[in-house]
Amino acid sequence: MSRTETIHALENNYFDLIIIGGGITGAGIALDAVLRGLKVGLVEQSDFASGTSSKSTKLIHGGLRYLKQFEFGLVREVGKERAILHKLATHLVRPEKMLLPLTKDGNYGKIIASVGLMVYDVLADVEKADQRRMLTPEETLDLEPLLTADKIEGGGIYSEYQTDDFRLVIELLKAAEKEGATILNYASCTGFLKKGGKIAGLTVMDEIESKEFSIYSDYVINAAGPWSDLVRKFQEEVSGKKLHLTKGVHLVVPFEKMPIKQSIYFDVPDGRMMFAIPRNNVTYIGTTDTTYKQNLKDIKTNLDDVHYLIDAVNHYFPNLTLKPEDVVSSWVGVRPLIEEEGKSASEISRKDEIFISDQGLITIAGGKLTGYRKMAKRAMETLLEIRADKTGKSIPKCKTKKYKLPGNSFKSQKEVETYKEELSQKYPDIAVREIAYMVDLYGNQSEEILKATTSGTSLMESEISFCIEKEWVQHLSDFYIQRNGRLFFDIEGVRSSLEAVASTMQQKLGWTDSQRQQEVVDLNEKIKDATIFT
């Protein structure tokens, strides 16, 4: 369906549910709702996953840190969800061993770490082969020579999963659209329609054509993440519980500047913990956790953020001596936590909560990437209980637990690796690393992209065509950030391909020369934001 057809469908149909927000929560709700038989529409003010949902640590993790806060229920829930997500998106949710070094005066002593990781395995329902293994100081140093011997008292290896958060959102939305949902990006909610004092839809601004239109529905769910309170203000003054926004920054450095042998979860001087994760030719580190009260339209990594992260790494790995100029890229997201009086940003619970206004707006906020499916289920069951009270209709069951996402025809990571090998043999002219990159992002959809290269089209051109035709791409930043993450992990590749990609997108999307030039200017501004800090 074209963008024009999508807008026509949103304007000319009556929906059971309209969702505001195209991040992980909104996408999860859309799939849950449409699989339960509801007629669903979703609008997103910018690109899908362009907010917090593309700015996480990119881990589907079991929440080891929450054990220290005695949030056992949260650990159990996200741990079980992690195992489910690995089955739903096997190519996107990839096994990752995490090293937890144990140091003098660190967050975890030997006994606490051993018991904690054991409890973590039980609560998170970790398979036996992936359960924790405790290490001697010598074994820990063998695994990670960058650690300094005088600090290390031992270590633990435990199981996590790495992901591309933005791809998870896109595949959820594609699945929802396939099942009948009507989905539109660059469409901002500008207000609510009301009937009898209750919300009966919303007014929307098409940010591409600068035209406003209306959508009518029985119910509206506000899943706008950090923008949720701003959406709530369209219909009433926000009172009671509000959002507490916290800023999370990640830095990317060349792998040779931090050549760690596996992912590491380590102590930092202020008592927090930090991740360092190797990925292809880079290592990324994060994250910060500071209260954020500034403009949501201008979220940037600043020099204080950079110094905090680099100083923490240098303190733990004194032989590295990282400098701000070593940073090749960065990303920053804002977490929509629920305000808890007297608690610091790091102490606030990551649990989600649901608010229902007097006018009927259902808002869901808080939560974690790993728990998106359960958040969606809670939001839907809240809505369906309200509907049942009004209409007497029964509550259909949630069907997302076994619904495999697009691109996933795999039963195990071994099958993913076998598929990569098969494609490498079938397309010998394409570099093995490029095929691996494709499969990690697109799964078995990769072959559709690779096939197009046999007609003389470059791999990049084929990928662009796929993302425009199948994944709602409207701008250069959509492609380079929310579809493949190149701006984070291959920024030199972005710089070198930018003009060619802009020309291809101009042809595909019908841009004028001035539009193409503006797209290049806008993306260069995003490159600047990711690489220059003040």
Side-chain angles (χ1 to χ4, degrees), residues 195-413:
K195 183 178 179 181
K198 297 292 184 180
I199 288 172
L202 54 149
T203 53
V204 175
M205 175 61 70
D206 173 8
E207 300 292 348
I208 302 295
E209 298 292 338
S210 298
K211 294 179 181 178
E212 193 169 60
F213 62 96
S214 298
I215 312 174
Y216 292 88
S217 66
D218 284 335
Y219 300 97
V220 175
I221 291 182
N222 170 19
W227 291 267
S228 293
D229 279 356
L230 297 178
V231 171
R232 291 167 75 191
K233 286 180 181 178
F234 283 133
Q235 41 99 49
E236 64 182 13
E237 190 61 35
V238 177
S239 59
K241 287 197 173 183
K242 301 179 181 180
L243 296 186
H244 182 120
L245 304 182
T246 72
K247 182 181 180 185
V249 173
H250 293 79
L251 304 180
V252 182
V253 299
F255 180 73
E256 60 266 22
K257 293 290 184 178
M258 192 174 182
I260 53 177
K261 294 186 177 298
Q262 67 276 300
S263 297
I264 302 179
Y265 188 41
F266 61 96
D267 295 278
V268 297
D270 64 3
R272 295 181 64 249
M273 300 286 290
M274 190 178 293
F275 291 101
I277 300 172
R279 175 168 169 155
N280 298 328
N281 299 321
V282 300
T283 299
Y284 66 93
I285 54 177
T287 178
T288 62
D289 199 3
T290 54
T291 296
Y292 186 80
K293 295 184 178 180
Q294 299 171 48
N295 190 344
L296 283 170
K297 292 183 179 179
D298 193 33
I299 309 166
K300 294 180 181 178
T301 301
N302 61 40
L303 202 54
D304 287 342
D305 300 322
V306 174
H307 280 299
Y308 171 81
L309 291 169
I310 283 179
D311 289 349
V313 170
N314 288 338
H315 178 267
Y316 205 83
F317 302 92
N319 296 326
L320 288 180
T321 60
L322 287 179
K323 302 179 181 64
E325 51 265 35
D326 293 326
V327 178
V328 295
S329 188
S330 69
W331 65 85
V332 53
V334 174
R335 307 176 190 90
L337 308 181
I338 310 302
E339 182 75 66
E340 292 184 50
E341 191 173 339
K343 288 193 175 184
S344 69
S346 294
E347 293 172 325
I348 294 174
S349 172
R350 268 51 178 173
K351 289 179 181 178
D352 57 276
E353 290 199 34
I354 294 172
F355 314 118
I356 305 173
S357 76
D358 292 339
Q359 296 178 34
L361 178 66
I362 300 170
T363 296
I364 183 164
K368 295 283 295 176
L369 173 69
T370 308
Y372 84 82
R373 198 189 66 84
K374 277 297 187 71
M375 286 178 66
K377 184 179 179 182
R378 281 191 281 271
M380 280 309 304
E381 289 179 352
T382 298
L383 182 156
L384 292 169
E385 285 169 5
I386 294 171
R387 188 179 73 163
D389 289 342
K390 288 181 179 179
T391 66
K393 290 184 178 180
S394 61
I395 297 177
K397 290 183 178 180
C398 176
K399 298 179 181 178
T400 58
K401 188 174 182 178
K402 295 182 179 179
Y403 189 99
K404 284 197 169 189
L405 298 187
N408 181 27
S409 60
F410 314 105
K411 294 180 180 178
S412 67
Q413 192 60 33

Side-chain angles (χ1 to χ4, degrees), residues 32 104 107 168 317 327-328 331 350 369 453 523 526 531:
D32 189 320
K104 298 169 185 175
N107 273 278
L168 201 55
F317 302 92
V327 178
V328 295
W331 65 85
R350 268 51 178 173
L369 173 69
T453 64
L523 191 73
K526 291 186 183 296
T531 57

